[in-house]
Amino acid sequence: QEQKLPTTKYDGHCRNLKKEEIEKKLHEGVSYVIRQKVPENIFITFHDEVLGDISVNSNDIEDGVLLKSDGFPTYHLAVVVDDHLMEITHVMRGCDWIPSTPKHVLLYRAFGWDLPKYIHLPNLKEVGSNKKLSKRFGSTEALEFLQEGYLPEAMLNFLMLIGWNSGTEKEIYSLEEFIKEFSVEKLHKTDLVAFDREKLLWTNAYYIRQLSVNTLYEKLIAWEKKFNKPYASNFDKGKVLKVLELIKERLRKFSEFELQLLV
């Protein structure tokens, strides 16, 4: 702050230690970490399949820790080595990881390994907000949505279209259709895309309406057993089927079943 620098980072205290000094400290048992020695004042450029070429000045990158004092690697070293050993060809992750990519590029170059293709995706935000998805507005994890009674296929359909558009008005896709039509070029070039919870409800309701009453009953009972939410299970099957016939057109998720009976 005193130097009016835009970010706080390692001051390079041990960056240029001589070999003799290093050996002396190692002999004395001085605790140490191993840092990434980032070249000074060069531009690190990598290609993003959605955003195009991205260049970052190395002076804006810290000499980050690669191996901690306990000998364990930090994420940045581990992910590069792990991806290389697993022969990962495409790295797809949120736009908030863009600042870390130059560090990974330098590591790939240092090891003499080929870079994977990078695809940075928009993160999810609440509708009407510029902040990432928040528990203050509802569920944020896949399991939580399943516990609420969303169908996996509806959830998948909804997620397919966040940050991607086919260029048509089509909103319902099977996984097979999506795989056939998907292209990286149609991903949105933005930091954040809206996670429309009302649209998710609409999508789930659509999938529910496509089910036969018998299939809907089986899925409802399976959901209750899986997440320990017994309600329909306490009634005679014939009665539940009759109720489902009446409410199927307005049922949006399984957790609304009991509520629909009270309306």
Side-chain angles (χ1 to χ4, degrees), residues 190-202:
T190 182
D191 292 339
L192 295 167
V193 291
F195 187 92
D196 191 337
R197 296 177 186 272
E198 286 300 314
K199 186 61 177 288
L200 175 57
L201 280 170
W202 178 89

Side-chain angles (χ1 to χ4, degrees), residues 34-243:
I34 295 179
R35 291 180 177 271
Q36 182 176 15
K37 194 171 186 178
V38 177
E40 295 180 329
N41 199 30
I42 65 168
F43 277 96
I44 303 164
T45 301
F46 64 93
H47 182 74
D48 183 280
E49 298 297 314
V50 176
L51 305 174
D53 288 343
I54 297 175
S55 293
V56 178
N57 191 294
S58 61
N59 287 349
D60 296 328
I61 302 173
E62 181 180 21
D63 289 346
V65 175
L66 297 179
L67 285 176
K68 297 181 286 186
S69 58
D70 58 9
F72 278 85
T74 59
Y75 170 81
H76 296 299
L77 175 61
V79 73
V80 167
V81 174
D82 194 38
D83 284 354
H84 173 74
L85 294 179
M86 292 196 297
E87 300 182 358
I88 297 299
T89 59
H90 292 68
V91 173
M92 304 179 74
R93 57 192 181 193
C95 283
D96 50 337
W97 280 98
I98 289 177
S100 296
T101 307
K103 302 176 185 179
H104 300 170
V105 169
L106 288 176
L107 285 171
Y108 273 103
R109 290 176 181 172
F111 286 124
W113 297 337
D114 292 334
L115 285 175
K117 292 184 182 297
Y118 285 106
I119 302 172
H120 288 93
L121 308 168
N123 287 303
L124 304 180
K125 69 170 184 175
E126 299 293 344
V127 174
S129 169
N130 286 321
K131 295 183 178 180
K132 292 173 67 174
L133 215 59
S134 169
K135 286 187 176 292
R136 292 192 300 113
F137 296 92
S139 299
T140 59
E141 298 178 9
L143 183 59
E144 293 175 334
F145 285 103
L146 295 177
Q147 288 173 334
E148 283 188 49
Y150 287 96
L151 292 165
E153 52 270 33
M155 196 76 207
L156 183 59
N157 190 151
F158 173 74
L159 291 172
M160 287 174 189
L161 301 182
I162 295 182
W164 180 87
N165 190 290
S166 64
T168 70
E169 298 297 318
K170 186 174 180 180
E171 294 183 311
I172 302 300
Y173 282 84
S174 67
L175 180 57
E176 292 73 21
E177 289 174 325
F178 183 70
I179 290 172
K180 184 178 179 181
E181 294 192 28
F182 177 81
S183 66
V184 171
E185 292 75 21
K186 293 178 181 177
L187 285 166
H188 294 176
K189 297 180 181 181
T190 182
D191 292 339
L192 295 167
V193 291
F195 187 92
D196 191 337
R197 296 177 186 272
E198 286 300 314
K199 186 61 177 288
L200 175 57
L201 280 170
W202 178 89
T203 304
N204 202 60
Y206 173 87
Y207 273 84
I208 285 176
R209 290 196 301 272
Q210 306 314 302
L211 300 174
S212 69
V213 173
N214 280 309
T215 301
L216 178 57
Y217 171 82
E218 291 171 1
K219 288 183 177 290
L220 175 63
I221 297 301
W223 172 77
E224 289 190 346
K225 289 180 178 178
K226 183 173 183 177
F227 295 108
N228 192 29
K229 298 177 181 289
Y231 187 76
S233 311
N234 295 328
F235 295 91
D236 175 73
K237 179 179 178 180
K239 292 182 179 180
V240 176
L241 288 174
K242 289 180 180 180
V243 170

